[in-house]
Amino acid sequence: MADTKLQIIPLGGLGEFGMNCLAVRWQNDILVIDAGLMFPESELLGVDIVVPDITYLVENKEHVRGIILTHGHEDHIGGLPWILSELNVPVYGTEFTLAYVEGKLDEHKMLDDTELIEIAPGAKFSLGPFTVEPIRVTHSLVDCVALAIETPVGVIVHTGDFKIDLSPPDGKAFDLHKFAEYGKRGVLALLQDSTNVDRPGYTPSEWSVKPRLDEVFSRTKKKLFFSCFSSSIYRIRIALDLAHFHGRKVAVVGRSMVESSEIAQDLGYLDLPPGLLIHPGQINDFAPENMMILISGTQGEPMSALSRAAVDNHKHAHILPGDTVVLSSRVIPGNEKSIYRVIDHLYRRDAHVIYDDGASGLIHVSGHASQEEQRLMINLLKPKFFIPVHGDYRHLKKHAELAQSIGVVDQALVIEDGDVLELDRESAQKKGKVTAGRICIDSGSTADVVEDIVIRDRRHLSEDGFVLPILTINKLSGKVERQPELVTRGFVAESGLLESARQVVASTLENSSAEEKADYGVIKEKIRVDLKRYIQKNTSRRPLIMPVILEI
């Protein structure tokens, strides 16, 4: 029966923000939409990034026809190096998206082995039984698309990340007409971005930040430091236009900001007047009132250019009393501490700091649709089935309720990572699960996958510390040469307890035979068990105990 049904299988992004990855399957053909990463929560100690578990795709690798990317944000392309190390399949994306992907794959020495295929809004292409048409949408990044996918049972539309902006700074407006056309023809299922389902009304256009920023430029008497997400090309463009208008030269500081602005210039998204940009080394050659520094690090990343400048540790960017720093971005949940720490440092430097505090005027707008735009899309497409994507469970649930309340959807279904949703022309239902979850990556190496047990051990060490009993044993006689030594880290104990613990170790050695002492595996385990029992009984703590034996 499943042979005549279309399967939609989310592998990431439904139940969390980030890590977006979704498989669409018809019989023996699978296409994958997006391959994102997620930045770790604080409880994932020492983990750098989190990517989706693609066991299902690896098990079916001969059926995977390709990965289609909706746009170039990290939560949609960041997992590619890890996914492509397991699956060698073509990657489809728009020109700007692939420019980001090339840099990422080049960094991982994978560019030469990966087939990158450029797609464009309105240009249909086929993958197995699927015919895909990219449709122009607007977001906080340029060159973003939704995907209309014709399948043997009907058309499904995946919006990607979107908001409805009919006058974006690059003049490439949201293609409402194309969505309306698909609505007239009939849409089987709509998978729609849920990020801002909590927000009533409409999300303002990118242009709406310009009046407030213009006012900031007018009032700033000294250097102006402007920071936003390096991928926010629209925002960068507005800042550069204002800098030119107000007679300021611009220096670009920070690796990600330099890379993004260079790509945007190469592809024609930034058209800069001659002489506007200067090298960061020339900042001091111009009067402070004639300088703007475009700087990366809006989320307070520890080694970012802005974080270093905030503590006066940057080669070129020096923030002096009276300078103005604009943070034109939202605070991503989880980053609050690091962002406010940077803001504190900026205030210590006597700088004027302007950030999104919800007060006077807009300096940042979201790239995601609010409720009225979500309703408009549902009304335009009139899908038979509605599936919310991208967000925590509460967002998905609320979005499904919103869709159902409009009255044009037959059924709204909330699915999560690993659920298998089967559709035909008449019905949609959940049918079982596949393996899904998170893979933790340490230090950016494809080999360094962090197992659950490692996270557990790190948590254990952070809570209870560890104790190293160090013993010196004569290899020939089996005799203990000197008193056992105890080294502790992250475990505080008064000297009396440590002395007693040392006696416990000595006692264990005394009560062990010469044969046991000669077998280091046995004696280590005996010491570990006895010491653990003693410490737990006397302190109710369970430090990690690792006996070390020095043989002489």
Side-chain angles (χ1 to χ4, degrees):
M1 191 65 189
D3 284 353
T4 61
K5 290 184 184 286
L6 180 75
Q7 293 185 328
I8 293 176
I9 307 164
L11 299 172
L14 275 74
E16 67 265 308
F17 280 108
M19 216 170 70
N20 296 297
C21 185
L22 182 127
V24 180
R25 180 171 189 159
W26 174 263
Q27 296 175 354
N28 285 331
D29 293 279
I30 299 171
L31 67 80
V32 179
I33 299 171
D34 289 329
L37 58 72
M38 183 170 82
F39 292 105
E41 298 107 336
S42 55
E43 62 261 27
L44 291 175
L45 302 159
V47 169
D48 291 334
I49 62 168
V50 185
V51 296
D53 185 335
I54 56 158
T55 302
Y56 173 76
L57 298 179
V58 174
E59 287 169 353
N60 294 278
K61 61 165 67 173
E62 69 278 12
H63 304 311
V64 180
R65 302 290 165 247
I67 299 171
I68 309 175
L69 305 172
T70 57
H71 66 287
H73 274 144
E74 286 290 306
D75 58 334
H76 293 259
I77 67 168
L80 270 176
W82 290 274
I83 291 174
L84 291 173
S85 68
E86 302 276 355
L87 299 172
N88 190 5
V89 296
V91 176
Y92 296 78
T94 57
E95 183 183 36
F96 191 88
T97 303
L98 290 187
Y100 269 8
V101 168
E102 280 177 14
K104 188 167 288 296
L105 295 181
D106 194 31
E107 205 178 298
H108 287 81
K109 314 270 187 296
M110 298 173 76
L111 186 54
D112 295 341
D113 303 324
T114 306
E115 185 183 5
L116 300 178
I117 300 169
E118 191 179 314
I119 62 176
K124 291 186 179 182
F125 62 97
S126 293
L127 269 180
F130 306 109
T131 301
V132 183
E133 180 173 9
I135 305 172
R136 169 87 59 205
V137 296
T138 44
H139 182 42
S140 53
L141 185 62
V142 296
D143 219 5
C144 305
V145 290
L147 303 171
I149 304 166
E150 291 178 36
T151 76
V153 293
V155 173
I156 64 169
V157 175
H158 189 296
T159 64
D161 285 358
F162 81 100
K163 70 175 178 182
I164 299 177
D165 193 342
L166 299 177
S167 61
D170 63 355
K172 295 176 179 177
F174 188 97
D175 194 349
L176 278 174
H177 297 295
K178 183 62 74 176
F179 286 107
E181 275 176 37
Y182 273 101
K184 282 178 189 164
R185 284 169 47 191
V187 171
L188 178 69
L190 169 61
L191 293 86
Q192 183 171 274
D193 173 19
S194 306
T195 307
N196 274 357
V197 72
D198 287 335
R199 293 194 187 182
Y202 295 88
T203 302
S205 164
E206 282 293 319
W207 282 120
S208 60
V209 299
K210 192 170 182 179
R212 171 83 169 113
L213 292 179
D214 190 24
E215 182 193 329
V216 170
F217 273 78
S218 303
R219 288 184 176 180
T220 298
K221 298 288 183 277
K222 292 192 175 179
K223 289 198 299 293
L224 176 63
F225 290 80
F226 187 89
S227 186
C228 62
F229 294 119
S230 58
S231 60
S232 296
I233 305 303
Y234 292 140
R235 197 73 45 80
I236 291 170
R237 179 176 171 156
I238 288 169
L240 292 172
D241 287 351
L242 286 169
H244 179 59
F245 179 77
H246 289 276
R248 289 178 181 265
K249 297 288 186 185
V250 178
V252 184
V253 174
R255 192 179 71 131
S256 62
M257 194 64 87
V258 169
E259 285 174 1
S260 275
S261 52
E262 283 177 356
I263 290 170
Q265 280 181 80
D266 291 345
L267 299 182
Y269 286 95
L270 292 178
D271 184 17
L272 305 182
L276 180 68
L277 287 189
I278 63 164
H279 187 272
Q282 299 173 276
I283 289 173
N284 293 332
D285 298 348
F286 295 88
E289 64 271 17
N290 295 332
M291 270 310 308
M292 179 184 99
I293 294 95
L294 187 60
I295 190 165
S296 59
T298 181
Q299 295 300 301
E301 301 91 336
M303 290 310 292
S304 67
L306 184 61
S307 291
R308 297 200 331 261
V311 292
D312 203 21
N313 185 26
H314 195 280
K315 187 177 178 183
H316 300 301
H318 298 287
I319 297 169
L320 301 174
D323 288 347
T324 296
V325 182
V326 177
L327 301 178
S328 180
S329 64
R330 76 184 179 97
V331 175
I332 293 178
N335 293 351
E336 294 92 346
K337 274 188 179 173
S338 49
I339 293 170
Y340 291 125
R341 188 176 64 241
V342 169
I343 290 172
D344 280 350
H345 285 307
L346 293 170
Y347 276 121
R348 284 195 181 97
R349 312 213 76 72
D350 277 335
H352 303 299
V353 189
I354 298 167
Y355 56 99
D356 191 11
D357 54 3
S360 51
L362 283 171
I363 59 158
H364 171 69
V365 292
S366 172
H368 298 272
S370 297
Q371 287 176 7
E372 291 308 315
E373 291 148 281
Q374 293 170 342
R375 283 195 178 93
L376 176 56
M377 283 287 278
I378 294 165
N379 274 316
L380 272 181
L381 289 164
K382 298 184 173 59
K384 188 174 180 69
F385 304 114
F386 179 83
I387 301 127
V389 294
H390 308 170
D392 295 331
Y393 191 85
R394 67 181 185 278
H395 295 88
L396 306 180
K397 184 74 175 163
K398 191 167 181 181
H399 202 180
E401 288 168 359
L402 177 121
Q404 201 81 63
S405 70
I406 295 170
V408 299
V409 174
D410 281 13
Q411 193 180 355
L413 301 112
V414 177
I415 58 173
E416 291 184 275
D417 297 346
D419 285 341
V420 179
L421 182 67
E422 290 192 347
L423 302 104
D424 58 23
R425 293 182 189 280
E426 302 304 326
S427 65
Q429 56 186 319
K430 285 191 240 185
K431 275 285 176 73
K433 286 184 89 73
V434 301
T435 303
R438 302 173 175 191
I439 302 293
C440 299
I441 307 284
D442 231 349
S443 74
S445 156
T446 48
D448 284 348
V449 172
V450 185
E451 300 293 340
D452 299 353
I453 193 164
V454 176
I455 306 286
R456 192 189 69 201
D457 286 349
R458 286 177 183 174
R459 185 169 295 133
H460 185 169
L461 285 169
S462 71
E463 288 169 357
D464 290 327
F466 65 89
V467 176
L468 267 71
I470 301 173
L471 321 168
T472 309
I473 294 180
N474 187 309
K475 190 176 182 182
L476 297 174
S477 65
K479 186 177 167 216
V480 179
E481 292 292 330
R482 62 173 71 101
Q483 272 286 85
E485 190 184 338
L486 287 187
V487 174
T488 67
R489 290 290 181 274
F491 173 76
V492 181
E494 61 273 13
S495 55
L497 181 84
L498 285 181
E499 188 51 49
S500 303
R502 198 177 283 115
Q503 295 305 322
V504 170
V505 176
S507 166
T508 304
L509 287 167
E510 275 172 34
N511 295 326
S512 301
S513 65
E515 206 170 21
E516 283 177 321
K517 288 180 202 166
D519 186 329
Y520 294 159
V522 170
I523 198 67
K524 273 184 178 182
E525 186 57 19
K526 281 187 76 173
I527 289 167
R528 196 187 68 77
V529 169
D530 288 353
L531 198 52
K532 178 184 169 188
R533 190 180 296 128
Y534 174 78
I535 290 174
Q536 200 171 340
K537 184 179 174 186
N538 286 276
T539 67
S540 299
R541 301 275 294 283
R542 298 179 61 184
L544 190 67
I545 296 170
M546 297 169 63
V548 176
I549 293 179
L550 307 175
E551 57 181 28
I552 56 171

